[in-house]
Amino acid sequence: MRPRRALVLPLVLAALAATGSAHAAATARVAALQVGLYSHGLYRGPIDGIAGPATRRAVRRLQLRARIAVDGVPGPQTRRALGRFGRHPFGSRPLRRGRIGWDVAALQFELAAHGFPSGALDGILGARTDAALRRFQKWSAVRVDGVAGRGTFAALAAPPPRPTLRLSWPIQPASVGSPFGPRGDRFHSGIDLVAPKGTPVYAARGGKVVWADWAEGGWGFLVVVDHGDGERTWYAHLSRIDVRKGVWLDVGVRIGAVGATGDATGPHLHFEVRVRGASVDPLLALP
Ligand SMILES: [Zn+2]
């Protein structure tokens, strides 16, 4: 659909990258490169969109293997050596379920950076990426059709959402074990606060409990509090829950205790902040 107009986008992204003002836009290309290198078994670092030493080393290994000039620079020949994962610049074609390529990897990275991670960043537009794409389309008031075209690309060129409400730490004292953002070949949608099992967990702001139960999908025992203005806080892997769905809480009220329920290797609180469904960095809202 309208491929000629979509072609304009890479130029826009390049311009933004040149000014250094668009974090996500500037790094989606590197993330796509990393996904390509990862899929060829040449890179095992995080898909973080940052061209560090490990990424450059992997590019050289690919160049050596492909018998092209070994300069560590991912030019056209190098991208060709990535096969289907090096093809299709981001924005050059509409993307829908079943598509594979450089642009799909960039889309996955952009969706994650905008608060809609979809599992492994692998350059393959499967069920999870399709679902994340539709959630993002709804969030950004683009037609919800599961096709990333001009409207979706334009919405992704906007900066990622940020929290607007001030929050308190849900654990005190808190130690951040794993921050929000790229983690391995995935994107961590919250922060992990490491604390012994049984450590009290407090509401980070006043609001209404909208979930207080076991939750499928690795969350374990989960509490979700709605603070109004479209903002919610999520507290996952709890060992126990001390509140009921539907009750109103003040900030600092105990909602449960730290545990390792669901997909957790050890006791910690996975704390997440969502703005109309988009995951945002909780550290931006905490003192
Ligand atoms: Zn976590």
Side-chain angles (χ1 to χ4, degrees), residues 183 188 192 268 270:
R183 185 167 73 177
H188 191 217
D192 289 346
H268 72 276
H270 173 92

Side-chain angles (χ1 to χ4, degrees), residues 48-183:
D48 58 5
I50 297 164
T55 305
R56 282 196 295 275
R57 265 199 309 277
V59 169
R60 286 172 190 277
R61 275 200 290 274
L62 174 70
Q63 292 171 331
L64 206 62
R65 192 196 270 185
R67 297 172 197 278
I68 54 179
V70 180
D71 58 5
V73 179
Q77 270 195 321
T78 305
R79 288 204 297 276
R80 215 168 300 135
L82 287 173
R84 60 185 185 164
F85 290 104
R87 280 198 286 274
H88 307 294
F90 185 47
S92 65
R93 59 173 181 166
L95 295 172
R96 59 170 66 81
R97 200 166 167 177
R99 295 283 205 210
I100 294 174
W102 175 282
D103 50 356
V104 174
L107 174 70
Q108 290 172 325
F109 188 80
E110 290 284 19
L111 287 172
H114 283 78
F116 297 93
S118 57
L121 294 141
D122 58 6
I124 301 166
L125 213 162
R128 289 192 68 177
T129 305
D130 176 75
L133 170 60
R134 288 169 192 271
R135 285 172 59 221
F136 174 73
Q137 289 180 322
K138 185 165 181 234
W139 187 87
S140 53
V142 172
R143 187 151 55 96
V144 181
D145 57 5
V147 181
R150 199 167 54 100
T152 302
F153 295 142
L156 286 170
R162 297 170 60 94
T164 55
L165 303 175
R166 303 304 306 169
L167 303 176
S168 299
W169 287 94
I171 289 180
Q172 279 163 354
S175 119
V176 180
S178 179
F180 175 86
R183 185 167 73 177

Side-chain angles (χ1 to χ4, degrees), residues 147-237:
V147 181
R150 199 167 54 100
T152 302
F153 295 142
L156 286 170
R162 297 170 60 94
T164 55
L165 303 175
R166 303 304 306 169
L167 303 176
S168 299
W169 287 94
I171 289 180
Q172 279 163 354
S175 119
V176 180
S178 179
F180 175 86
R183 185 167 73 177
D185 64 340
R186 284 154 197 268
F187 194 97
H188 191 217
S189 56
I191 55 176
D192 289 346
L193 300 175
V194 182
K197 185 182 173 199
T199 302
V201 175
Y202 306 106
R205 189 183 172 90
K208 185 183 181 185
V209 177
V210 291
W211 184 274
D213 203 345
W214 182 268
E216 296 299 328
W219 300 99
F221 285 113
L222 171 74
V223 170
V224 179
V225 182
D226 190 335
H227 307 292
D229 291 338
E231 287 204 30
R232 292 180 170 193
T233 48
W234 294 45
Y235 312 77
H237 310 311

